[in-house]
Amino acid sequence: MPKGTNQKFKLYRLAQIMMKKTDEEHYITMPEIKETLAEYDITADRKSLYNDLRDLEILGIEVEGEQDGNRYRYHVVNRPFELPELKLLVDAIQSSKFITEKKSNSLIKKLETMVSEYDAQKLQRQVYVSGRIKAMNESIYYTVDAIHNAISENKKIRFQYFQWNVKKEPQLRHGGAWYHISPWGLSWDDENYYLVGFDSEAGLIKHFRVDKMLRIALSNETREGREHFKKLDMADYARKSFGMFGGEEETVKLQVSNGLAGVIIDRFGKDVMMIPVDEDHFNVSVDVRVSRQFLGWVFSLGESVRILGPEAVVDQMKAETQRLIGQYDIK
């Protein structure tokens, strides 16, 4: 039998065919395999294909055959990801505000290659992202990678930081000055990605919106601030910082309507102690960084939540209330 010019790619093409054309519900027969290989100018006899299908297991591709009438049919089983898992990843990518629309579609296309062409269509029905408010900084994907590399290599990073002005233009902060920060972690909060690091010059832990960082580069300097982060639980830090805004950490006592028990648990976790006050309310003490954003969160819950203490925090809420009254000229 004359061999095709691409014979050396036979096993590679066979793997592609099996991964693309088969799944738990779709099979392929030996004649169909030979026909598809011929499209790549590859010829094969039945006996060699039996051996090749077994050899695919070396590549981590498990092929199963079953009798179908007077013929055999084959399909791939035990893929690295199940379809529901990939759907979950697609949803996570779509809902991630920090990933741009272009990068979202690119990542989803790559996920589609991990399933058959039939299951890929099921993912495609979920990939409509046009019109979503996504990040506009396309380089964020590589910024995150650079931060992880710096953490791995125990190095500082340098970058410029910007904010949007009223002309909808990025404007460099501090006149374009470079920030020199020791990166210690990344945190996800309020649909944004944040770098959490140590500013040696200020002697403080600071956080920065990753999508507002520009021209990031690794420094030759070794990271500093290890002693601060030894005592810091990153997840706890993010939970206490509303919208990742800073503030003095306080144990704040709240009186909450029973109907908002889920809101408290979602925000502070199931370990909080909710002490019944009466049939309709409970008290809870939570550790937070008191900021205008925290007060705004309490405000947004209306009469269902009331700050009981400490007195200084109650006074801050009263002052914020008076500021709003003055801002809107309420009499």
Side-chain angles (χ1 to χ4, degrees):
M1 177 182 293
K3 293 183 179 295
T5 57
N6 292 322
Q7 205 67 20
K8 61 183 177 181
F9 299 117
K10 184 174 69 166
L11 193 62
Y12 169 71
R13 290 300 186 188
L14 180 61
Q16 280 189 319
I17 291 166
M18 296 306 298
M19 293 292 286
K20 184 176 180 181
K21 297 288 186 182
T22 75
D23 54 36
E24 291 293 333
E25 298 178 355
H26 299 88
Y27 299 74
I28 191 170
T29 64
M30 191 62 73
E32 290 170 336
I33 293 175
K34 294 174 67 174
E35 181 181 336
T36 308
L37 282 172
E39 295 175 6
Y40 296 105
D41 198 21
I42 297 172
T43 59
D45 58 41
R46 185 181 294 269
K47 184 177 180 180
S48 70
L49 284 174
Y50 288 142
N51 293 329
D52 291 335
L53 288 173
R54 284 193 295 269
D55 288 343
L56 286 181
E57 289 196 23
I58 299 174
L59 301 177
I61 302 172
E62 184 180 350
V63 177
E64 189 176 84
E66 67 172 42
Q67 187 80 36
D68 180 30
N70 61 353
R71 62 179 183 172
Y72 248 77
R73 60 181 189 172
Y74 304 87
H75 72 139
V76 171
V77 294
N78 297 329
R79 291 174 183 265
F81 288 93
E82 297 178 6
L83 183 61
E85 293 174 327
L86 289 175
K87 286 182 176 179
L88 184 64
L89 291 175
V90 167
D91 290 344
I93 291 168
Q94 287 180 325
S95 61
S96 295
K97 182 180 175 183
F98 79 92
I99 306 178
T100 65
E101 182 177 328
K102 180 181 177 181
K103 182 58 67 176
S104 293
N105 286 321
S106 173
L107 289 172
I108 292 167
K109 280 293 182 184
K110 291 177 181 178
L111 290 179
E112 289 174 5
T113 65
M114 306 192 75
V115 293
S116 70
E117 60 185 10
Y118 311 102
D119 282 346
Q121 293 174 4
K122 297 175 184 177
L123 291 178
Q124 289 167 7
R125 288 201 291 267
Q126 301 185 16
V127 301
Y128 180 77
V129 296
S130 178
R132 290 180 57 87
I133 300 175
K134 304 279 277 182
M136 290 169 279
N137 183 356
E138 186 66 27
S139 65
I140 185 174
Y141 192 73
Y142 306 100
T143 300
V144 170
D145 188 52
I147 292 170
H148 281 298
N149 287 338
I151 293 173
S152 176
E153 297 179 25
N154 197 34
K155 297 294 184 182
K156 290 183 181 181
I157 56 174
R158 58 196 304 268
F159 57 90
Q160 291 175 300
Y161 203 55
F162 78 87
Q163 61 188 8
W164 295 103
N165 62 23
V166 294
K167 296 179 180 179
K168 303 179 184 177
E169 299 169 336
Q171 181 176 320
L172 292 176
R173 299 192 64 175
H174 301 312
W178 289 85
Y179 291 70
H180 295 260
I181 300 295
S182 300
W184 288 94
L186 288 160
S187 179
W188 175 259
D189 186 81
D190 196 25
E191 297 191 50
N192 290 304
Y193 221 173
Y194 291 87
L195 160 70
V196 182
F198 184 72
D199 184 336
S200 302
E201 186 175 333
L204 296 172
I205 293 174
K206 292 185 177 180
H207 43 260
F208 304 85
R209 279 265 299 268
V210 173
D211 59 311
K212 294 185 177 181
M213 297 167 61
L214 295 175
R215 304 178 185 90
I216 185 170
L218 266 66
S219 167
N220 291 324
E221 297 180 36
T222 302
R223 287 187 303 171
E224 297 178 314
R226 184 180 300 275
E227 65 280 4
H228 294 271
F229 282 86
K230 277 184 178 179
K231 302 177 288 185
L232 183 69
D233 182 322
M234 291 288 290
D236 187 56
Y237 177 82
R239 185 174 63 247
K240 293 175 181 176
S241 302
F242 281 72
M244 292 301 286
F245 282 87
E248 291 296 321
E249 184 172 328
E250 297 269 10
T251 299
V252 178
K253 186 175 182 180
L254 305 173
Q255 182 173 291
V256 186
S257 295
N258 289 346
L260 292 189
V263 173
I264 298 299
I265 291 172
D266 287 344
R267 179 72 213 194
F268 301 103
K270 293 179 69 175
D271 290 337
V272 295
M273 185 174 294
M274 299 188 294
I275 303 172
V277 176
D278 53 40
E279 291 184 359
D280 302 313
H281 301 87
F282 63 88
N283 287 348
V284 61
S285 294
V286 294
D287 295 326
V288 299
R289 294 181 179 274
V290 179
S291 63
R292 182 169 286 176
Q293 284 64 38
F294 165 68
L295 299 178
W297 177 77
V298 174
F299 237 163
S300 71
L301 298 174
E303 60 186 16
S304 297
V305 177
R306 179 184 169 201
I307 299 174
L308 299 179
E311 195 63 34
V313 179
V314 175
D315 289 342
Q316 286 184 58
M317 178 59 94
K318 289 178 179 178
E320 186 67 10
T321 303
Q322 291 301 316
R323 184 190 66 78
L324 287 171
I325 290 174
Q327 181 174 333
Y328 291 97
D329 198 24
I330 300 172
K331 297 179 180 179

